[in-house]
């Protein structure tokens, strides 16, 4: 992960989002301490054998000590876990005002804007980008399917309200349509 981040930072030095590839200080410190360098090394987690069997401890980024894992408890995550449809889950989670909802919206909206700004540069069409994200990263929805799930018009309005810009493409998905993708049986087509 560290080497990938460093490679991206070097290769994408002039990219508008180059700052996101700067590794957080605690990751650099973890690597300095020998964490994450090999498969057996300690990193974010440490595997230990105990009389209970194998246990995993979690790295505390403030103290660099390992502690027992604690499950995060967020009402929004518990609520969306009950929803089967990925589009419904995304809409509900991005609308949530708790820490998890704010985190998801911040990072997901940045990915959506970045993907929309890169359409002509990284792929000839948005279906290819969606497929790459689903197939390569095991996402349930690609970025443009996510735009559609959240509502293109609603997402653009929210970004503008927050003082953020989306790609010009996102303001006009398709000849009077409200979404980017036209779904047919077993086929997708993009509409711009």
């Amino acid at each position: 992960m560290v080497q990938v981040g460093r490679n991206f930072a070097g290769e994408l030095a002039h990219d508008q989002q180059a700052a996101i590839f700067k590794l957080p200080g605690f990751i650099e410190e973890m690597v300095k301490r020998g964490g994450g360098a090999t498969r057996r090394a300690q990193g974010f987690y440490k595997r230990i054998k105990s009389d209970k069997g194998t246990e995993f401890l979690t790295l505390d980024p403030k103290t660099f000590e390992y502690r027992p894992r604690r499950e995060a408890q967020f009402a929004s995550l518990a609520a969306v876990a009950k929803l089967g449809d990925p589009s419904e889950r995304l809409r509900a989670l991005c609308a949530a005002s708790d820490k998890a909802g704010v985190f998801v919206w911040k990072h997901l909206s940045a990915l959506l804007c970045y993907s929309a700004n890169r359409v002509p540069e990284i792929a000839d069409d948005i279906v290819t980008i969606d497929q790459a994200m689903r197939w390569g990263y095991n996402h349930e929805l690609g970025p443009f399917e996510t735009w559609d799930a959240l509502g293109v018009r609603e997402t653009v309005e929210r970004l503008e309200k927050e003082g953020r810009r989306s790609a010009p493409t996102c303001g006009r998905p398709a000849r009077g349509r409200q979404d980017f993708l036209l779904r047919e049986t077993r086929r997708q087509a993009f509409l711009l």
Side-chain angles (χ1 to χ4, degrees), residues 121-138:
E121 182 182 334
I122 62 174
D124 293 330
D125 60 74
I126 62 178
V127 172
T128 304
I129 295 171
D130 278 346
Q131 289 171 338
M133 294 300 281
R134 284 195 330 270
W135 299 343
Y137 294 99
N138 200 26

Side-chain angles (χ1 to χ4, degrees), residues 61-134:
K62 293 179 181 138
T63 65
F64 287 95
E65 299 293 324
Y66 287 91
R67 59 170 170 72
R69 292 192 304 179
R70 295 184 294 246
E71 289 291 322
Q73 301 294 320
F74 297 105
S76 61
L77 293 179
V80 300
K82 299 172 187 167
L83 302 173
D85 179 34
S87 298
E88 288 180 41
R89 283 196 309 266
L90 279 172
R91 281 192 299 274
L93 193 52
C94 286
S97 59
D98 67 358
K99 197 173 184 178
V102 170
F103 177 85
V104 167
W105 170 250
K106 176 184 174 186
H107 294 284
L108 185 61
S109 62
L111 172 68
L112 298 179
C113 292
Y114 188 77
S115 300
N117 281 320
R118 292 292 170 261
V119 172
E121 182 182 334
I122 62 174
D124 293 330
D125 60 74
I126 62 178
V127 172
T128 304
I129 295 171
D130 278 346
Q131 289 171 338
M133 294 300 281
R134 284 195 330 270

Side-chain angles (χ1 to χ4, degrees), residues 24-40:
F26 80 90
I27 292 178
E28 294 281 3
E29 182 62 27
M30 180 180 67
V31 171
K32 281 182 195 171
R33 293 173 180 234
T38 67
R39 185 131 169 87
R40 296 203 182 277

Side-chain angles (χ1 to χ4, degrees), residues 43-55:
F44 293 108
Y45 303 100
K46 177 180 179 180
R47 182 175 23 198
I48 62 168
K49 301 254 187 220
S50 71
D51 49 344
K52 297 178 196 173
T54 301
E55 292 184 64

